[in-house]
Amino acid sequence: MRLHGYFRSSTSYRLRIALNLKGLDYDYVPVNLVTSEQKSAAFTSRNPFGSVPLLEADGRDRAQSMALLEWLDEAYPKSPLLPADIEDRYTVRELAYAIATEIHAPNNLPVLRYLADPLGHSQEEIAVWYRHWLARTLGPVEARLAQLGSGDFVLNAPGMFEVVLLPQVYNARRFDFDFSPMPHIERIEAACLALEPFQRAHPDIQPDNPEKDQTA
């Protein structure tokens, strides 16, 4: 497997976590979103969406992170991301797709760039935008976790929800989002970050992170 991604891309981060949780080896191929490498003719000839991640697997180029997570679970059922029980699967999907569809769309890089140019918004105005959409969905997610009585994970082990949640929390912290009213989310974040598959997927240690200590 070859995973084409960007260290700070939340969707690439999802795939890194999922592959690590499943114990699947892969080569990492950096794609520079800052220079719009994902929009190049060479890349879009393989992924017409012009986005990351792109996963080379089983002789096919595969795109779209949520579809990839579902495919990984079906192709490699060991260490499942989705539980066996239908109601538990619904719970996980409800929470994961809330983040993937309600937050990612208004807060992804092309939207933030458009807010800056041509619309002319300042970085602080863009940060206000970003935090607004975070609160709009993470508040209800926190409320649902409280209803479920969640502990370190939404169910008994990390799965699709945690795979989607952790990258969003990482990005939220970059924009100084206040998690103090969200103890369930913070508890899940801490429990996940204590696990090696999440640690290896973290943006801070990816080879294309320009701030990574190259001597480490």
Side-chain angles (χ1 to χ4, degrees), residues 128-161:
V128 170
W129 164 282
Y130 200 99
R131 291 190 291 266
H132 167 80
W133 295 108
L134 288 168
R136 184 178 180 272
T137 296
L138 291 181
V141 167
E142 173 70 18
R144 180 66 89 199
L145 292 171
Q147 289 176 349
L148 294 167
S150 64
D152 285 348
F153 312 110
V154 68
L155 296 175
N156 295 324
M160 180 184 284
F161 169 64

Side-chain angles (χ1 to χ4, degrees), residues 10 92 190:
S10 61
V92 169

Side-chain angles (χ1 to χ4, degrees), residues 152-153 166 173 184-195:
D152 285 348
F153 312 110
L166 264 287
R173 292 198 182 281
H184 292 83
I185 289 176
E186 287 202 305
R187 183 171 60 251
I188 291 172
E189 177 197 23
C192 289
L193 291 177
L195 301 177

Side-chain angles (χ1 to χ4, degrees), residues 62-95:
R62 303 174 187 273
Q64 297 296 336
S65 66
M66 297 307 291
L68 278 164
L69 294 179
E70 299 262 7
W71 177 79
L72 280 173
D73 236 21
E74 294 172 356
Y76 301 92
K78 184 179 177 181
S79 301
L81 302 174
L82 287 166
D85 178 76
I86 187 171
E87 292 302 324
D88 287 344
R89 285 202 306 278
Y90 174 80
T91 295
V92 169
R93 284 181 169 126
E94 179 188 66
L95 293 166

